[in-house]
Coordinates of all heavy atoms in Angstrom, one line a residue:
H411 N 35.9 -8.4 -1.1 CA 34.6 -8.2 -0.7 C 33.8 -9.5 -0.7 O 32.6 -9.5 -0.8 CB 33.9 -7.1 -1.5 CG 34.3 -5.7 -1.2 ND1 35.2 -5.0 -2.1 CD2 34.1 -4.9 -0.1 CE1 35.4 -3.8 -1.5 NE2 34.8 -3.8 -0.3
Q417 N 34.9 -6.5 5.4 CA 33.6 -5.6 5.5 C 32.5 -6.5 5.8 O 31.5 -6.0 6.4 CB 33.5 -4.8 4.1 CG 32.3 -3.9 4.2 CD 32.3 -2.9 3.0 OE1 33.2 -3.0 2.1 NE2 31.3 -2.1 2.9
H475 N 42.3 -2.3 2.7 CA 40.9 -1.9 2.6 C 40.0 -2.8 3.6 O 40.2 -4.0 3.5 CB 40.4 -2.1 1.2 CG 39.0 -1.6 0.9 ND1 38.6 -0.3 0.6 CD2 37.8 -2.3 1.0 CE1 37.3 -0.3 0.4 NE2 36.8 -1.5 0.7
D476 N 39.3 -2.2 4.4 CA 38.4 -2.9 5.3 C 39.1 -3.9 6.2 O 38.6 -5.0 6.6 CB 37.3 -3.8 4.5 CG 36.4 -2.9 3.6 OD1 36.2 -1.7 4.0 OD2 35.9 -3.4 2.7
Ligands
LIG1040 FE1 34.8 -2.2 1.2

Side-chain angles (χ1 to χ4, degrees):
H411 288 106
Q417 185 170 355
H475 182 91
D476 297 334

